[in-house]
Every structure is written in structure tokens, then in C-alpha cells.
Amino acid sequence: MDREFNMPQLIQYVWDNDLYDTRFTSTDGIVIEFFEDDDWDMYGNCDKNTIFRLSKMERL
């Protein structure tokens, strides 16, 4: 089964697993990119119902 995260859970998962230089697209089209040194960018507005799936991760 595909792992699902809300935004705070996703950020913690990325940091805990060193998944830097990655991009995740949520089920409703919000994009969040993670870079080295705990830097990240988000494109779109995220709320508590926004879901990101691990299978939608792309390497940058």
C-alpha cells in the first residue's frame, strides 16, 4: 500500500530519511520540493486535508 502523509508528516519523513533533492505532488496538485540544508519550496496552498503520496516522489 502507498504511504500517505499530510504536509507536516511529509516534511518530517523527508528529513528523517534524507530524501533531499526530491519533489512531491499532492493528490490535488500542490507541489513541494525539498533541498539540502532543510530548505524547501511549496507551490500552491496546502491545508490539513492535503495528502502527499510516497509513490509520487520524483528526484530532482
Side-chain angles (χ1 to χ4, degrees), residues 44-58:
N45 294 319
C46 215
D47 64 26
K48 65 180 180 179
N49 297 319
T50 302
I51 298 295
F52 295 89
R53 293 195 172 111
L54 193 56
S55 65
K56 299 294 182 182
M57 181 185 78
E58 302 171 63

Side-chain angles (χ1 to χ4, degrees), residues 3-51:
R3 292 196 59 182
E4 296 184 343
F5 306 92
N6 63 26
M7 191 177 83
Q9 292 170 328
L10 178 64
I11 292 170
Q12 189 65 52
Y13 185 82
V14 167
W15 290 346
D16 288 349
N17 293 283
D18 295 324
L19 295 175
Y20 300 108
D21 299 320
T22 55
R23 174 185 297 132
F24 292 83
T25 303
S26 73
T27 55
D28 54 355
I30 308 301
V31 174
I32 187 167
E33 297 175 341
F34 295 94
F35 309 101
E36 293 291 332
D37 300 322
D38 297 333
D39 185 24
W40 55 277
D41 289 327
M42 182 172 43
Y43 306 96
N45 294 319
C46 215
D47 64 26
K48 65 180 180 179
N49 297 319
T50 302
I51 298 295

